[in-house]
Amino acid sequence: MNNSAISANFTTGKRKVAIIGVGYVGASIAYALTVRNIAREIVLIDKDIQRAQGESSDIRHGVPFMGTSFVYAGGYADCVDCDLIIICAGRNRRSGETRRDLVDSNVDIMKNVIASLKPYYTHGAILVVANPVDILTQVASDLMQLPNGRVFGSGCILDTSRLTACIADYLSLSTDAVKAIVVGEHGDEQTPVWSRVAIAGVPIDEYCEAVGLLWGDTQRQSLHEKVRSMGASIIRNKGKTHYGIATCVCYLADAVLNQHQIIAPVSSPLVGEYGVKGVSLSVPSIVGVNGVERRLEERWSEEEYVQFLTAADRLRECLESL
Ligand code: NAD
């Protein structure tokens, strides 16, 4: 066996994760990964080294009763051999701001992070979580120049989780029964794909009719408004959001690290799907060890296409203005 074959075997299955930016979001992700025992090794990297050290000690001291993950603070050189690199470095929005208001400061941070990471990147998927996630996914992907989908963004996974929970509450059912997705922008112009919502495989309008519940524009608009404004409302109440995204990222990390393919609405650079090119947006995607391994083209309603394409145009304008 030659040396490169030995090193390839050595790194396979290490389940090593780097988290860059260990504020509320990065630290919550690290904590959720250890609770679920998804990663074997988790390195926390932040420009504020003391913060990374504090978070790593705090999380590590809970591991003995929980799992086996090895959590430590490190630097970019520790990204060598990582199977998954999660980027959470970036300013959070203040009350009243939209995610797009973060563009200027967070694009600069992303450029800085990629410049520091690139010399140590060996393989693995790169998952962007910092906002505005679709813009930052495109920027990171352009800078890394890896095969399409290796850099992907958490995109609409959190909106999808919120929509699923809101529909389940409306129907008084467990979330397991609800299959719904949000696509497009992780932001105010997100698109819930109402035409595909199913309850245990039954189209939702048929289900509601059978159980005597109302299902029409009024119910859809009210649920959508709740989902769209949920992040802002949590920020008004507690100044930040971090637990929801942390469990959603765990779901994606499990798919990457444990080679357990899922279909999820995450963001990656589109190359013509749905008529869009050169912009990262969420569409149903097969996520596995290489990040986004394939994007799926579904049939949506006319209104859903219009909403999706409007968001694509706005994001393209934003990217062109950078
Ligand atoms: P935070 O301010 O608590 O943490 C940000 C961290 O990034 C800080 O520790 C800071 O030191 C670090 N950082 C800044 N520049 C850096 C650099 N160049 N290199 C390394 N580290 C750097 O913010 P937070 O609440 O953790 O939010 C982080 C990001 O996640 C924000 O952009 C927020 O909008 C986003 N977010 C995304 C979702 C989603 O669904 N995608 C959900 C919630 C929050």
Side-chain angles (χ1 to χ4, degrees), residues 3 45 152 191 244 308:
N3 282 346
I45 302 165
F152 71 113
T191 306
F308 179 85

Side-chain angles (χ1 to χ4, degrees), residues 214-251:
L214 291 172
W215 186 252
D217 283 345
T218 313
Q219 287 71 33
R220 285 190 284 269
Q221 273 162 19
S222 142
L223 288 170
H224 186 195
E225 190 42 35
K226 232 188 207 170
V227 172
R228 207 179 57 81
S229 60
M230 204 167 279
S233 140
I234 297 169
I235 288 172
R236 263 197 313 279
N237 287 334
K238 60 172 262 193
K240 58 194 80 63
T241 72
H242 48 113
Y243 295 126
I245 185 62
T247 45
C248 290
V249 168
C250 265
Y251 176 62

Side-chain angles (χ1 to χ4, degrees), residues 1 3-15 40 81:
M1 195 185 279
N3 282 346
S4 65
I6 291 168
S7 80
N9 280 341
F10 180 69
T11 58
T12 302
K14 258 182 110 179
R15 295 188 291 137
R40 199 173 288 170
D81 285 349

Side-chain angles (χ1 to χ4, degrees), residues 20-27 45-49 51-52 76 87-93 99 102 106 108-110 112-113 116 128-133 136 153-159 162 186 235 239-246 249:
I20 304 175
V22 204
Y24 286 97
V25 170
I45 302 165
D46 199 291
K47 68 170 189 183
D48 180 347
I49 294 166
R51 189 169 187 175
Y76 283 96
I87 306 181
C88 310
R91 173 169 95 67
N92 203 345
R93 52 191 174 131
R99 294 175 183 90
L102 303 170
N106 288 357
D108 281 348
I109 293 177
M110 182 57 81
N112 198 289
V113 165
S116 310
V128 176
V129 178
N131 273 321
V133 70
L136 296 182
S154 55
C156 289
I157 189 84
L158 177 57
D159 313 279
R162 286 173 174 158
H186 170 57
I235 288 172
K240 58 194 80 63
T241 72
H242 48 113
Y243 295 126
I245 185 62
V249 168

Side-chain angles (χ1 to χ4, degrees), residues 93 98-101 131-135 155-156 159 181-194 224-225 227-230 279-283 300 303-318:
R93 52 191 174 131
T98 70
R99 294 175 183 90
R100 285 194 211 155
D101 291 328
N131 273 321
V133 70
D134 303 298
I135 297 285
C156 289
D159 313 279
I181 56 164
V182 177
V183 296
E185 184 198 15
H186 170 57
D188 292 343
E189 289 191 277
Q190 58 182 238
T191 306
V193 186
W194 295 119
H224 186 195
E225 190 42 35
V227 172
R228 207 179 57 81
S229 60
M230 204 167 279
V279 177
S280 289
L281 281 171
S282 289
V283 298
W300 300 333
E303 201 184 328
E304 288 155 3
Y305 274 117
V306 171
Q307 246 180 314
F308 179 85
L309 294 175
T310 306
D313 286 343
R314 298 274 164 76
L315 290 173
R316 182 176 294 104
E317 280 164 25
C318 180

